[in-house]
Amino acid sequence: MTNTTYAIELKNICKNFGSVAANKNVSLNVKYGEILALLGENGSGKTTLMNMLSGIYHPDSGEIWIDGKHTVINSPKDSFKLKIGMIHQHFKLVDVFTAAENIIMGTEGFVGSSKKAAEKIKEIADGFGFSIDPNKKVYDMSVGEKQTVEIIKVLYRGARILILDEPTAVLTPQETEKLFKVLDNMRKDGCAIIIITHKLNEVMAISDRVTVLRKGETVATVDTKTTDIRKLTELMVGRPVELKIDRPETERSAEPMFFVKDLCVRNEEDVFALKNVSFELYGGEILGVAGVAGSGQRELCETIAGLMQAESGEITYKGENILHKSPAEIIDLGISMSFIPEDRLGMGLVASMDIADNMLLKSYKKSKGLVINRKPSRELAEKLVKRLEIVTPSIKTPVSRLSGGNVQKVLIGREIESNPNILITAYPVRGLDINSSFTIYNLLNEQKAKGVAVLYIGEDLDVILELCDRVMVLCHGEVMGIVDPRKVTKEDIGLMMLGNKLEKEGGAENE
Amino acid sequence: MSNGSKVSTGREPLIRIVKREYNNKLIPGLIRAGALILSIIAGGLFIWAMGFNPFEAYKSIIRGALVGSARDPMSSIRSTIDIFVPLCVTALGLSCAFKMKFWNIGGEGQIIMGGVFATFFALNYPQIPRPLMLLIMLIAGAVGGALMALIPALFKVKFGTNETLFTLMLNYIAIYIVKYLIAGPWQRTPGFASIGKLDKNTYLYEINRQNIGWIAVIIVVLFVYFYLYKTKSGYEVSVVGESQATARYAGMNIRKIIIKTMLISGAICGIVGMIKVSSNHTLTEGIGGGVGFAAITVAWLSQLNPFIIPIVSAIISILQKGSTVMQMNMGISSYAADVLQGIILFCFLGSEFFVRYSLVFNLRIKEAK
Amino acid sequence: MDTLFNFLYASIIASTPLLFGTVGEILSEKVGNMNLGVEGMMWLGAFAGFYAAYKTESFLISLLASFGLAAVGALIYAFLTVTLKANQNVTGLTLTTFGIGLSLVFGKAMITAAGGAPKTSDVFNAKVAAINIPVLSDIPYIGKIIFGLNPYVYIAVAIAIILYVYLMKTKTGLNLRAIGENPAAADASGINVNLMKYINIIIGGGICGIGGAYMSLVMVNGSWQDSGVVNGYGWIAVALVIFSSWNPAKAILGSLIFGMFSSLRYYVPSDIIVIPTAFYQMLPFVVTTIVLIVTSIKKNKENTQPAACGINYFREER
């Protein structure tokens, strides 16, 4: 026994949601002046575990020890009192408030002295090397700025134990580097830090120790120095895996399947979300789209799919401009387009309906007459459940009850069944575990082999670089360049994501 | 720690809330039955607190609603049915809009406008033969209700105007339109705000002294069921209600769907207005009589199920009719029906929580060792 | 000139219950709870305020009684929507049905006991009559409008101003606005979401209740009738919240304008302009509808309904 008091010590934590065990006997500890990486696949229970430290959830059983004392955390307020601060993956900020208001809200006192608060905010920002405008409204902020507000918010409350949930998911490599510098400063300052991630190279770059979770259980805790990516993967997945994503060489069509030319789109707030976007998409290729979140990816997908009106430009399919055509008219032209939206349950599927009724979404219009015929959709549902090994009690189960991976299989399965010429996928592996992710990659590669033109919007640059045949980088709605992923590095793409236009035409464009 | 601040660690919470997952329908059924029993007890306590015998009161309500006088044993049931028909049909109409998550609080106004439109023909063309007259009135009523529902629907799809408040305001506007008409252009006798009694040609047919309004219940139940669950349009309504983004994604014309559904919802309510005019034999500002509001709670209590709506409507109708008899027999205000209805609803509103979640009491003493 | 100021005076009198209802509802909506039970809570306040005045002749007790009973109504609503996560629209509507029913049942019992429509005593009526401050109240025209009103008017305006400062200038106000905008964010910031919701819904309901008491004690001259006390004013208040863009200070102006609409018909020279009474009565509702439409056309991120209004919050919901 050493006499170090741990900043945090979790002992045999259990937490169930309904019949699902999110955490089973999880134990871990962190010291001050140390960064612990909490590694695990999506769905392995990392966030649930940390939410128990931040007071959002309460463990079903097990103990939380803070500074060597057994404690009970019932609310985020208790958590702040214990000097714990969590930066959530989905930022918890009030849009119509300023940065300063978001930071001071919920702190002690009846009348907020904004002057004193502003000074303190500035002090914290200067101390760790942040830049922040306290009077800027959150709805005007970029993702990076919002994250800064979140971090300052917990520091303002005097947090000495910081928990960051997937902080780099939305950042460019350059921003990530900056964040890691700040974290390093905090470590030197004596803070205890837990960083939740599933990116192995980041674990190696920043952490002192790693605790690996798998299916809600602690698998191991190892010193970062004594391990490597291969070992960590094995711990995380539970078996040795080849983390190489396949990129089969296929014959791409001689002529582009379609062109997008000078596309300009205004979003709901009447701001240009896409500015003069031009590219071509060939049959039999996967074109990746990289960019910081909110760079116009959603608008690009929805405009191509005919769900959003473009201001100007052209989308030409086989010589026909389909820009101002409705989805129905596009179908009439013999174009079969499939779109896998990022919000699966909120857009691609109807959460409360069962698998069979969700199949109807694509096909109900085709049946003749007023009355709906549910037989074909039921058959299709049965077929998909078998073919894609969808885990579900029955085809009558509401899709909201399925796990993330199975939900995605239902959605992609339905879309692929319609034999598309063009497949647009937005963040198709977000939230999925490695197994399900690979199923999806394989499905996409299958489509590519069939000659389908695939547009892949992604966030994980490693995946984009390995899976895609060409990569287009967006920044603030503009195309920064289209590159050959075999010939560029992640940092090159990161620079483009931040707004540095590619000087000369990239590899893939050299015919 | 060095800063010496004492951390107040809270106690373990006594009760935790856990989401339920089931595969049977028994537990929700039991919980709802429990809510019903609880509301009967709570209502009884209320009556008792008012200084009356709750058993007597409940008996008075049930007898009052179902048992008529010796000379005319069916009289009470007839008036209960007269309450039941408008309530049930309106709830069915509203359920179409609610299925789409369109908060049509305007049933009252749509009933009134249906009544106004029907009255227009009844007043101005009394020479039309009875069957044709009733048909015209029926269509006019449906059109009136549909138009009244169309207004908020149009603004909703065009500007996203809050339909809850819009439909609510239209209820009052409709009441004052009637007030204007019966004290102005449609006034029968100067000095009296009334259109007087309508011509016999406009009366609903009666079978066994019961007007045939109840036929509307049967037709509308079947129509709503078929429409919502068996047609393409019904499927679209469900999708729009669940998520407009999904509807857009599926290429649905959301505006058209909202407008179409509201037209149907309003038309059904408008028919109620026609039935009321045609069975009351006149038009008054009180034609809605709060049915539009009561129907909202009926639709909600029935979870929009077109077969449950008649059952819930029947319970509420018995309560309302019975309360008027209770007022005569015992001297409790007939508004007690509103109180009891409120109590029932509060209990059911609360019970839904226990259908979705269960409470887990903290019993972890053994573990500490 | 006299007519104009008389009109203004009458408008202020007519606007006061609306102001109570509006600021009460604003408080509730600011913490994310749209309470459609305003009408019911005003009825509860109308009865309780009247009964207390009738029995005790004390202004203070009457005031507290109207606040208290309506607050109990709001408590039922809060328990159902905050703790039991019930649908806010249906719960609010039910509260209205329940509140109207309960007040009229109690009212009926009161009438039965009194053997006729009960009336408040002259002693009490004097307490809620227009105040008279020597000199100040006698200032021509504006004296009466500023210094010659009944005590409720001053209470209403004071509550509106206090709530404005509370909501917009204090940190507690910031916290509760955060709840209405994004309860998850407020929760994560250490704000006790449920407690704050309860407190503000209940206080808001109580304030609505005072507005009801004003209607039963001042507007119908202190005599309890079997029906028709609150008369849809609660619904106008719900709409006025929009008109005031969720700002208690603007609610003062908003309710005054609506007061003008409802008293307009007595001041329009009927020999020159002939408009049926029903249209005057319809006017507030028509204007509200127009306001509703106009605010929806000019979409605005701020000064609009709190983003999470109408949506219940459950921390562990996944």
Side-chain angles (χ1 to χ4, degrees):
Chain A
M1 280 293 285
T2 56
N3 55 359
T4 358
T5 25
Y6 288 109
I8 296 177
E9 218 183 342
L10 300 179
K11 298 178 180 175
N12 301 317
I13 299 285
C14 295
K15 174 78 186 172
N16 298 308
F17 290 106
S19 55
V20 184
N23 288 136
K24 236 180 321 183
N25 290 319
V26 177
S27 301
L28 63 76
N29 53 54
V30 200
K31 289 180 285 228
Y32 286 105
E34 176 184 63
I35 297 181
L36 176 81
L38 186 56
L39 179 69
E41 288 197 59
N42 286 313
S44 61
K46 300 168 301 217
T47 304
T48 307
L49 183 67
M50 290 301 109
N51 272 333
M52 285 186 259
L53 280 172
S54 69
I56 302 280
Y57 297 150
H58 196 275
D60 292 348
S61 67
E63 292 173 9
I64 299 172
W65 290 64
I66 307 290
D67 295 339
K69 277 178 237 139
H70 183 195
T71 48
V72 175
I73 304 172
N74 283 330
S75 69
K77 197 165 190 165
D78 289 354
S79 174
F80 287 132
K81 276 191 203 150
L82 294 160
K83 300 196 174 298
I84 302 171
M86 178 154 172
I87 289 99
H88 296 269
Q89 184 181 7
H90 304 289
F91 302 133
K92 302 206 170 185
L93 297 171
V94 177
D95 267 355
V96 293
F97 284 7
T98 63
E101 284 173 331
N102 266 292
I103 291 165
I104 64 166
M105 78 185 197
T107 56
E108 299 292 326
F110 179 66
V111 181
S113 160
S114 50
K115 210 176 194 178
K116 228 166 106 190
E119 266 170 37
K120 196 169 159 190
I121 292 168
K122 202 172 169 306
E123 197 179 298
I124 294 168
D126 292 348
F128 290 104
F130 292 113
S131 63
I132 185 174
D133 172 5
N135 295 320
K136 195 167 182 178
K137 298 266 181 176
V138 171
Y139 60 72
D140 284 330
M141 288 184 186
S142 69
V143 184
E145 285 174 299
K146 287 181 192 171
Q147 189 176 58
T148 307
V149 176
E150 284 279 22
I151 296 174
I152 294 182
K153 191 165 130 187
V154 300
L155 294 174
Y156 184 88
R157 286 160 165 75
R160 300 292 292 160
I161 302 169
L162 273 91
I163 303 163
L164 296 99
D165 190 357
E166 306 264 2
T168 60
V170 291
L171 303 180
T172 62
Q174 285 74 13
E175 285 173 315
T176 303
E177 207 172 293
K178 225 162 92 189
L179 173 70
F180 282 0
K181 238 172 237 155
V182 172
L183 293 183
D184 195 40
N185 286 342
M186 289 177 185
R187 165 164 56 189
K188 283 181 192 139
D189 197 45
C191 291
I193 296 169
I194 300 179
I195 173 167
I196 302 178
T197 181
H198 61 262
K199 293 185 185 168
L200 295 156
N201 45 12
E202 290 176 0
V203 173
M204 300 309 290
I206 186 84
S207 70
D208 299 300
R209 286 189 301 143
V210 194
T211 294
V212 185
L213 287 190
R214 188 170 71 227
K215 293 189 175 137
E217 294 180 76
T218 2
V219 185
T221 299
V222 290
D223 279 329
T224 312
K225 282 195 213 94
T226 65
T227 191
D228 57 49
I229 289 186
R230 178 165 290 276
K231 279 185 203 152
L232 287 176
T233 316
E234 210 175 314
L235 285 171
M236 185 161 83
V237 186
R239 57 185 159 82
V241 277
E242 186 55 56
L243 269 189
K244 192 88 188 75
I245 302 168
D246 226 14
R247 177 163 44 201
E249 290 301 326
T250 51
E251 190 99 354
R252 82 172 193 192
S253 60
E255 287 296 311
M257 187 81 91
F258 77 35
F259 299 94
V260 172
K261 210 173 151 218
D262 294 330
L263 188 66
C264 294
V265 176
R266 281 180 199 270
N267 64 12
E268 290 81 1
E269 268 107 53
D270 220 28
V271 182
F272 275 109
L274 292 177
K275 278 172 275 186
N276 296 316
V277 169
S278 301
F279 65 95
E280 55 242 30
L281 185 59
Y282 291 83
E285 72 161 350
I286 299 181
L287 173 64
V289 178
V292 177
S295 298
Q297 295 98 322
R298 183 178 64 83
E299 289 82 358
L300 180 64
C301 294
E302 295 196 1
T303 312
I304 297 175
L307 304 179
M308 218 169 170
Q309 281 299 323
E311 180 103 348
S312 61
E314 274 174 48
I315 299 177
T316 317
Y317 177 87
K318 288 188 180 160
E320 187 107 28
N321 188 357
I322 59 168
L323 191 58
H324 293 291
K325 295 204 164 31
S326 70
E329 289 168 322
I330 294 174
I331 293 167
D332 289 342
L333 281 171
I335 308 171
S336 174
M337 192 159 356
S338 279
F339 171 32
I340 317 289
E342 75 181 275
D343 186 359
R344 291 160 211 157
L345 287 175
M347 189 167 196
L349 298 168
V350 184
S352 67
M353 289 185 182
D354 62 24
I355 301 177
D357 267 9
N358 267 297
M359 295 298 132
L360 275 175
L361 211 53
K362 193 86 178 181
S363 61
Y364 80 97
K365 280 189 178 157
K366 287 180 200 139
S367 66
K368 287 198 186 87
L370 278 175
V371 181
I372 210 155
N373 181 3
R374 286 188 158 82
K375 204 168 158 230
S377 65
R378 245 175 276 150
E379 285 165 2
L380 177 59
E382 297 281 7
K383 183 175 144 197
L384 282 184
V385 168
K386 266 197 215 109
R387 194 167 91 80
L388 299 180
E389 293 166 346
I390 297 168
V391 183
T392 172
S394 84
I395 58 162
K396 299 246 176 220
T397 309
V399 289
S400 60
R401 296 253 197 94
L402 304 183
S403 74
N406 287 307
V407 167
Q408 186 66 310
K409 282 183 197 170
V410 172
L411 177 55
I412 292 197
R414 182 189 71 200
E415 292 305 313
I416 287 176
E417 274 309 313
S418 66
N419 289 321
N421 318 118
I422 301 161
L423 181 61
I424 305 157
T425 61
Y427 310 105
V429 297
R430 182 181 280 176
L432 304 193
D433 61 28
I434 290 177
N435 242 331
S436 309
S437 300
F438 273 83
T439 311
I440 305 297
Y441 301 142
N442 290 338
L443 282 172
L444 294 182
N445 279 331
E446 240 173 63
Q447 292 300 306
K448 172 173 137 184
K450 278 170 74 181
V452 176
V454 182
L455 191 69
Y456 178 95
I457 317 282
E459 49 199 340
D460 192 330
L461 290 182
D462 294 310
V463 172
I464 290 182
L465 288 176
E466 283 183 47
L467 175 73
C468 301
D469 299 298
R470 292 186 301 145
V471 177
M472 174 166 81
V473 184
L474 285 179
C475 176
H476 296 304
E478 284 180 86
V479 177
M480 293 294 115
I482 299 180
V483 294
D484 183 341
R486 301 165 192 87
K487 295 178 185 159
V488 294
T489 63
K490 227 162 80 174
E491 283 64 34
D492 295 335
I493 293 197
L495 280 173
M496 290 165 75
M497 283 162 72
L498 286 172
N500 298 298
K501 262 209 172 102
L502 192 64
E503 288 306 329
K504 57 180 195 319
E505 287 294 282
E509 300 300 289
N510 305 332
E511 296 296 312
Chain B
M1 290 302 297
S2 54
N3 56 20
S5 73
K6 189 173 168 289
V7 172
S8 69
T9 56
R11 277 179 310 171
E12 296 273 320
L14 208 58
I15 302 169
R16 283 181 306 104
I17 300 162
V18 179
K19 198 158 194 165
R20 268 182 209 276
E21 274 181 33
Y22 357 45
N23 303 314
N24 64 35
K25 288 192 171 160
L26 186 67
I27 295 169
L30 283 176
I31 290 170
R32 293 192 182 112
L36 184 66
I37 293 167
L38 186 70
S39 61
I40 291 171
I41 294 172
L45 285 175
F46 164 73
I47 294 167
W48 177 73
M50 292 293 297
F52 299 95
N53 182 338
F55 298 102
E56 284 294 317
Y58 280 132
K59 211 172 100 187
S60 180
I61 289 176
I62 306 240
R63 283 184 62 88
L66 302 176
V67 183
S69 61
R71 220 182 46 207
D72 181 6
M74 292 302 284
S75 63
S76 298
I77 291 188
R78 275 206 305 275
S79 27
T80 306
I81 290 176
D82 282 342
I83 299 174
F84 166 76
V85 170
L87 184 61
C88 182
V89 175
T90 309
L92 287 164
L94 296 182
S95 67
C96 297
F98 291 170
K99 187 88 186 169
M100 201 172 58
K101 301 244 165 75
F102 188 104
W103 278 97
N104 181 10
I105 312 279
E108 195 83 0
Q110 289 145 25
I111 293 172
I112 295 172
M113 271 338 241
V116 168
F117 272 53
T119 308
F120 174 81
F121 289 95
L123 266 184
N124 293 309
Y125 306 96
Q127 67 280 14
I128 301 175
R130 193 172 177 190
L132 187 60
M133 169 60 96
L134 288 174
L135 185 67
I136 290 173
M137 284 174 72
L138 183 74
I139 294 168
V143 169
L147 287 179
M148 199 63 169
L150 176 66
I151 304 167
L154 281 177
F155 282 98
K156 176 74 179 184
V157 299
K158 194 100 183 89
F159 304 114
T161 312
N162 181 324
E163 77 274 13
T164 314
L165 294 165
F166 201 139
T167 49
L168 188 68
M169 291 303 122
L170 287 177
N171 290 340
Y172 287 92
I173 292 174
I175 289 175
Y176 290 114
I177 288 175
V178 175
K179 263 196 167 176
Y180 160 72
L181 289 172
I182 63 179
W186 290 0
Q187 194 177 43
R188 168 76 56 96
T189 335
F192 284 99
S194 165
I195 62 165
K197 213 160 183 198
L198 288 171
D199 194 272
K200 282 214 168 61
N201 267 354
T202 67
Y203 297 1
L204 270 185
Y205 289 105
E206 288 183 358
I207 301 174
N208 285 334
R209 296 172 67 194
Q210 175 68 52
N211 73 60
I212 56 167
W214 52 269
I215 293 177
V217 173
I218 297 169
I219 295 171
V220 176
V221 164
L222 294 177
F223 171 78
V224 169
Y225 169 73
F226 183 75
Y227 181 75
L228 288 182
Y229 296 95
K230 296 288 165 199
T231 66
K232 287 198 233 173
S233 306
Y235 179 73
E236 289 177 331
V237 169
S238 310
V239 175
V240 170
E242 185 70 37
S243 157
Q244 296 217 356
T246 307
R248 199 164 55 92
Y249 168 82
M252 296 178 183
N253 187 339
I254 297 173
R255 293 177 174 203
K256 216 170 107 187
I257 294 165
I258 290 181
I259 288 173
K260 193 164 71 181
T261 310
M262 273 306 279
L263 285 175
I264 291 174
S265 179
I268 295 175
C269 295
I271 289 171
V272 174
M274 175 268 173
I275 293 175
K276 281 223 137 186
V277 167
S278 191
S279 57
N280 293 349
H281 311 154
T282 185
L283 173 74
T284 64
E285 62 186 77
I287 173 184
V291 167
F293 289 104
I296 296 165
T297 50
V298 168
W300 185 86
L301 262 183
S302 319
Q303 305 201 317
L304 311 184
N305 182 327
F307 296 116
I308 308 279
I309 286 175
I311 299 172
V312 176
S313 306
I315 295 172
I316 301 288
S317 312
I318 289 171
L319 201 58
Q320 290 192 343
K321 167 66 179 103
S323 295
T324 56
V325 176
M326 180 178 72
Q327 169 162 347
M328 283 187 295
N329 291 349
M330 302 176 67
I332 310 176
S333 166
S334 63
Y335 280 101
D338 285 356
V339 177
L340 295 177
Q341 196 179 314
I343 290 172
I344 293 172
L345 266 158
F346 283 146
C347 289
F348 273 91
L349 282 161
S351 75
E352 284 308 305
F353 176 80
F354 298 97
V355 172
R356 279 183 289 157
Y357 306 103
S358 63
L359 301 182
V360 175
F361 293 90
N362 196 355
L363 303 164
R364 59 156 107 168
I365 310 131
K366 51 179 193 254
E367 224 178 278
K369 301 285 145 69
Chain C
M1 204 57 184
D2 265 0
T3 320
L4 182 66
F5 280 93
N6 284 340
F7 169 55
L8 205 55
Y9 189 81
S11 302
I12 292 170
I13 298 295
S15 72
T16 304
L18 292 174
L19 183 53
F20 280 115
T22 307
V23 294
E25 179 67 8
I26 288 175
L27 203 52
S28 184
E29 290 195 17
K30 278 286 181 190
V31 289
N33 281 66
M34 171 121 171
N35 188 348
L36 293 180
V38 179
E39 178 87 359
M41 294 187 294
M42 285 179 80
W43 268 99
L44 288 173
F47 167 77
F50 183 90
Y51 187 71
Y54 175 59
K55 284 285 173 196
T56 68
E57 300 188 345
S58 158
F59 176 68
L60 188 66
I61 292 175
S62 163
L63 194 70
L64 291 177
S66 59
F67 183 93
L69 191 61
V72 170
L75 172 66
I76 297 173
Y77 170 88
F79 177 69
L80 286 170
T81 58
V82 178
T83 302
L84 299 184
K85 326 285 174 208
N87 179 301
Q88 294 186 8
N89 279 349
V90 181
T91 309
L93 286 168
T94 306
L95 179 57
T96 290
T97 309
F98 178 77
I100 296 173
L102 196 67
S103 315
L104 286 170
V105 169
F106 285 160
K108 173 93 179 166
M110 183 168 66
I111 293 171
T112 311
K119 278 185 161 33
T120 49
S121 67
D122 291 339
V123 180
F124 181 83
N125 291 347
K127 288 178 186 165
V128 295
I131 59 163
N132 189 15
I133 304 168
V135 188
L136 289 178
S137 300
D138 299 331
I139 301 170
Y141 304 124
I142 59 159
K144 209 173 143 208
I145 284 172
I146 297 172
F147 301 106
L149 296 156
N150 69 65
Y152 284 105
V153 182
Y154 302 106
I155 294 172
V157 174
I159 288 176
I161 293 169
I162 290 167
L163 283 186
Y164 172 75
V165 175
Y166 170 62
L167 281 171
M168 306 298 178
K169 305 288 170 199
T170 69
K171 201 193 272 177
T172 317
L174 182 77
N175 291 352
L176 72 88
R177 278 186 288 140
I179 295 170
E181 292 292 343
N182 186 343
D187 193 10
S189 310
I191 298 166
N192 192 335
V193 174
N194 284 1
L195 182 69
M196 292 285 274
K197 276 186 175 236
Y198 263 97
I199 292 174
N200 288 289
I201 291 168
I202 290 171
I203 294 177
I207 294 171
C208 294
I210 301 177
Y214 179 88
M215 300 198 73
S216 62
L217 291 168
V218 179
M219 291 183 85
V220 292
N221 298 322
S223 149
W224 183 265
Q225 308 295 333
D226 207 3
S227 64
V229 177
V230 180
N231 259 340
Y233 267 55
W235 293 118
I236 302 184
V238 173
L240 254 172
V241 172
I242 300 170
F243 189 84
S244 324
S245 54
W246 289 264
N247 180 336
K250 283 190 197 164
I252 300 175
L253 189 69
S255 48
L256 181 62
I257 291 171
F258 276 64
M260 286 179 179
F261 291 140
S262 56
S263 45
L264 190 62
R265 69 175 144 140
Y266 303 109
Y267 295 90
V268 171
S270 54
D271 46 340
I272 305 168
I273 307 164
V274 186
I275 301 171
T277 322
F279 286 164
Y280 284 110
Q281 290 169 312
M282 200 194 290
L283 197 56
F285 299 100
V286 173
V287 174
T288 306
T289 312
I290 293 168
V291 168
L292 204 59
I293 294 165
V294 172
T295 36
S296 67
I297 291 174
K298 45 170 209 185
K299 288 191 179 73
N300 197 343
K301 266 213 170 90
E302 289 167 60
N303 306 324
T304 179
Q305 188 167 40
C309 190
I311 305 159
N312 290 327
Y313 174 64
F314 180 36
R315 185 191 280 168
E316 296 207 15
E317 191 71 76
R318 312 206 306 165

